[in-house]
Amino acid sequence: MSDKKLPAFNGTKEQEAQLMEVINKHKQSKGALIPVLHEAQEIYGYLPVEVQTIIAEELDIPLAEVYGVVTFYTQFSLYPKGKYKIAVCLGTACYVKGSGDILDKIKEILGIEVGECTPDGKFSLEATRCIGACGLAPVLTVNEDVYGRLVVDDVPGIIEKYQD
């Protein structure tokens, strides 16, 4: 990750109430942390330190342990996701056909690294493993839209489609 400043956390009272319900549902269970983190990420879309702190306090475990789990498992995110989630396949077929260069071009255009979100909340960027579209390599997705047989010069036009 880069040194970019995280956006200000703006959770709502409703989200916090949902989180407390989730915590209370799992609190007495052995191994409650991971199910709570999954459900918390569904509520907030990511796991900012403010949410991790609530979870740590309510489950009576150190914040460092919560943070360690969040950063260990790739399904958890410290960053919010954008309105448009761009995912570039770095599986073997895609990588051999240039997906690394496509990823670099997206990072250059958007000014973000993998795992980050643009400051306006419009785009987030992920690197994925094989998405099962090897015949279209290299491939990227924007939400549910799939783009295949790409070259670096295709990237600006694809991003422009989502600049609403």
Side-chain angles (χ1 to χ4, degrees), residues 2 4 86 88 90 99-116 118 124-127 155 159:
S2 75
K4 288 190 183 273
I86 300 174
V88 179
L90 294 180
S99 64
D101 295 334
I102 289 166
L103 179 63
D104 289 342
K105 186 66 173 178
I106 295 168
K107 293 187 321 189
E108 175 191 318
I109 291 170
L110 297 179
I112 60 174
E113 293 295 321
V114 169
E116 293 182 346
T118 55
S124 56
L125 180 60
E126 295 297 329
V155 172
I159 291 173

Side-chain angles (χ1 to χ4, degrees), residues 3-47:
D3 296 332
K4 288 190 183 273
K5 186 176 176 239
L6 287 171
F9 175 67
N10 57 2
T12 65
K13 289 291 179 197
E14 292 80 14
Q15 287 172 315
E16 190 170 339
Q18 285 180 281
L19 178 60
M20 294 308 295
E21 281 181 38
V22 166
I23 291 169
N24 288 331
K25 177 174 76 175
H26 293 285
K27 199 173 199 167
Q28 301 307 317
S29 304
K30 190 168 173 74
L33 180 57
I34 289 185
V36 168
L37 289 172
H38 276 292
E39 291 187 48
Q41 186 163 279
E42 286 178 27
I43 294 166
Y44 291 94
Y46 70 117
L47 296 168

Side-chain angles (χ1 to χ4, degrees), residues 6 11 14 19 26 35 38-39 49 57 59 64 66 71 75 84 91 129 136 148 157:
L6 287 171
E14 292 80 14
L19 178 60
H26 293 285
H38 276 292
E39 291 187 48
V49 69
E57 289 172 357
L59 293 180
V66 175
T71 56
Q75 71 264 34
Y84 300 110
R129 294 293 160 208
L136 297 175

Side-chain angles (χ1 to χ4, degrees), residues 44-106:
Y44 291 94
Y46 70 117
L47 296 168
V49 69
E50 294 85 352
V51 172
Q52 293 176 55
T53 301
I54 293 169
I55 293 169
E57 289 172 357
E58 294 297 321
L59 293 180
D60 195 29
I61 57 177
L63 178 58
E65 184 177 333
V66 175
Y67 179 79
V69 170
V70 169
T71 56
F72 180 79
Y73 292 104
T74 58
Q75 71 264 34
F76 297 128
S77 178
L78 296 171
Y79 295 95
K81 300 299 180 198
K83 178 179 178 183
Y84 300 110
K85 297 162 202 67
I86 300 174
V88 179
C89 179
L90 294 180
T92 303
C94 286
Y95 192 78
V96 166
K97 292 193 174 189
S99 64
D101 295 334
I102 289 166
L103 179 63
D104 289 342
K105 186 66 173 178
I106 295 168

